Amino acid sequence: MITLADIIKARGVLNSIIHKTGLMTDNLLDETTGNRIFLKMENLQRTGSFKVRGAYNRIANLTDAEKGKGVIAASAGNHAQGVALAAKAYGISATIVMPRYAPLSKIKATRQLGANVILEGEVYDDSFEAALKIQQETRATFIHPFDDPLVIAGQGTIGLEILEDLPDVEVVVVPIGGGGLISGVAAAIKQSNPAIKVVGVQTRNVPSMFESMDQQKIVTVHGSATIADGIAVKTPGQLTFDMVQQYVDEIVTVDEDEISSAILFLLEKVKTVSEGAGAASVAAVFNKLSHYQNKKIAVVVSGGNIDVNILSRIVDQGLVKSGRKVYLDTIIPDKPGHLWKLLQLISSTGVNILTINHKRDKRDVLIGFAQVEVEIETADEEHIYTVKKLLEKNNYCTQLC
């Protein structure tokens, strides 16, 4: 097991390398529960993720002989960048095996740090198996992303920083993939103050640690695709499983919609970008932790390395689901003035018209008529209802999507 002394020692190694990321003290209030939310902004860490802490601490402790053989790792992206940065700092070679469908931004960033990137497998676990085979051939040192004492101790430095910045914290919420982050943070928290609650969060699509804890043994969960790719780990580590059993009070799961909404919330309300894995903890606070009331809750936003194309889709989807954007379909006579009349009517409700698509050639549109699809920006669901009722009152047959 990792001790508080191990974590303090890791901090000494990392002091000149990492940023002590801020704990957002202009706290957020959950009006439903009265909980005050403080965000630990590891999305602003070097390489955009907490992973550099553990990777650097592990590589800093390599022997000269091990450094000479280089390092190898498997990663969905964030551990890859941490390993690559540390390897570059020590002037040693690094090979990283990543899933074929890892975010392009993470692949590019890892290569830019000087690592040799190999794309193999559909998910992290496939890349892990491929990396082990390469390691046997090259004899490079394998830098495990979570199931390693030195890696866990490095991640635990986050817990020390939370305690320094918010000594009276009552609950700490941490995302879980393989369990390295929560193991380190929980060890630091619980060995300092056992009264503080530690809550882990997984995506419902790949709830491997959640299921392992439920069954009291390590289980493999194949799951399904998730926007929280950074925590999509099918099998927890043995060391991390043992530490979660010892130190973590509960684990909850969040779904894709809840994670998407959390990403949008952080972008819009907090003015910060989070990837899916990082936003999972925020999603849990607002959707799964209502049994905590009037507590000070520190929430680890573990990373911000999200592909811009994915982010734009999440934002668009979030606006639709929150009633702030809607696509309206209707049929109008294909005669001069009718499109103008429709748009005037829609505009009179105070919406903002974003795009207009006018089609005459669709199979189900009669000759002499045209289909109009209008993308509009609205305030909320009530505003959408107002638009729909006004159009129906003026004899337009509408569909909203």
Side-chain angles (χ1 to χ4, degrees):
M1 285 296 177
I2 287 79
T3 67
L4 187 60
D6 295 326
I7 298 170
I8 293 171
K9 182 179 178 181
R11 187 171 192 182
V13 172
L14 298 173
N15 267 340
S16 62
I17 300 301
I18 64 163
H19 303 314
K20 180 183 176 184
T21 54
L23 187 69
M24 201 180 84
T25 53
D26 293 334
N27 62 82
L28 304 169
L29 178 66
D30 184 345
E31 296 182 358
T32 304
T33 62
N35 291 323
R36 295 170 63 192
I37 313 302
F38 300 82
L39 302 178
K40 178 60 173 171
M41 310 294 275
E42 281 296 290
N43 58 319
L44 303 180
Q45 186 55 262
R46 289 189 68 177
T47 74
S49 159
F50 75 95
K51 286 284 191 177
V52 67
R53 295 175 182 261
Y56 196 96
N57 190 49
R58 177 68 179 88
I59 289 175
N61 283 277
L62 292 175
T63 66
D64 289 340
E66 288 172 327
K67 290 175 183 176
K69 294 178 181 178
V71 295
I72 185 168
S75 171
N78 288 336
H79 180 60
Q81 293 173 68
V83 170
L85 183 145
K88 184 177 182 180
Y90 281 93
I92 62 180
S93 63
T95 298
I96 314 293
V97 185
M98 302 176 71
R100 283 192 291 269
Y101 302 111
L104 294 176
S105 58
K106 294 183 180 181
I107 295 171
K108 181 179 179 181
T110 304
R111 284 177 170 151
Q112 287 177 335
L113 286 167
N116 172 35
V117 175
I118 298 173
L119 302 180
E120 187 70 41
E122 302 293 317
V123 295
Y124 160 76
D125 298 79
D126 301 330
S127 301
F128 177 81
E129 293 300 325
L132 288 180
K133 292 178 181 177
I134 296 171
Q135 189 271 337
Q136 290 172 2
E137 297 169 0
T138 63
R139 312 312 298 173
T141 299
F142 190 84
I143 308 297
H144 201 287
F146 50 83
D147 210 35
D148 180 291
L150 289 166
V151 170
I152 293 171
Q155 322 302 27
T157 58
I158 294 172
L160 298 181
E161 292 176 10
I162 291 173
L163 291 171
E164 288 175 355
D165 291 341
L166 191 66
D168 56 346
V169 63
E170 296 167 280
V171 184
V172 178
V173 184
V174 187
I176 302 179
L181 173 60
I182 196 167
S183 293
V185 171
I189 296 292
K190 289 292 191 177
Q191 291 180 39
S192 299
N193 184 353
I196 299 171
K197 300 294 184 183
V198 178
V199 180
V201 185
Q202 287 208 290
T203 165
R204 187 175 296 170
N205 285 19
V206 194
S208 56
M209 187 68 82
F210 178 86
E211 292 294 337
S212 296
M213 290 294 288
D214 184 59
Q215 298 183 39
Q216 293 297 296
K217 64 179 182 180
I218 295 176
V219 298
T220 296
V221 176
H222 293 283
S224 55
T226 173
I227 58 173
D229 60 285
I231 54 174
V233 178
K234 294 190 290 187
T235 308
Q238 182 63 60
L239 177 56
T240 57
F241 174 71
D242 293 340
M243 293 188 69
V244 168
Q245 279 191 310
Q246 180 172 351
Y247 292 123
V248 176
D249 294 283
E250 65 175 310
I251 299 176
V252 298
T253 62
V254 289
D255 63 30
E256 298 298 288
D257 285 347
E258 289 164 342
I259 296 171
S260 294
S261 296
I263 291 172
L264 185 60
F265 170 83
L266 289 167
L267 187 64
E268 189 170 36
K269 302 296 184 182
V270 186
K271 315 305 179 188
T272 192
V273 175
S274 171
E275 60 189 273
S281 53
V282 176
V285 168
F286 289 111
N287 294 283
K288 300 297 166 63
L289 300 183
S290 60
H291 49 291
Y292 292 105
Q293 302 279 327
N294 303 309
K295 301 293 185 184
K296 287 187 176 181
I297 302 180
V299 183
V300 179
V301 181
S302 58
N305 294 318
I306 187 169
D307 186 272
V308 174
N309 293 318
I310 294 174
L311 180 61
S312 66
R313 292 197 292 270
I314 289 171
V315 169
D316 193 61
Q317 185 183 71
L319 291 173
V320 171
K321 289 183 176 179
S322 63
R324 294 165 57 196
K325 182 189 285 189
V326 68
Y327 295 86
L328 181 150
D329 280 333
T330 191
I331 302 296
I332 63 172
D334 188 19
K335 295 179 180 179
H338 281 274
L339 178 59
W340 173 243
K341 178 183 175 183
L342 171 66
L343 297 180
Q344 276 190 313
L345 196 62
I346 293 172
S347 297
S348 71
T349 64
V351 304
N352 184 28
I353 297 175
L354 301 176
T355 62
I356 304 164
N357 197 350
H358 183 270
K359 297 181 180 179
R360 301 179 178 87
D361 55 356
K362 293 198 70 173
R363 182 178 300 177
D364 54 348
V365 177
L366 297 174
I367 293 174
F369 291 86
Q371 180 188 43
V372 179
E373 180 184 80
V374 185
E375 179 187 6
I376 57 176
E377 191 176 39
T378 49
D380 48 33
E381 293 287 352
E382 185 177 348
H383 199 179
I384 294 172
Y385 179 78
T386 299
V387 175
K388 186 173 185 294
K389 285 300 176 183
L390 179 63
L391 292 176
E392 290 174 350
K393 182 179 178 181
N394 284 271
N395 301 313
Y396 289 96
C397 179
T398 61
Q399 286 186 328
L400 300 178
C401 55

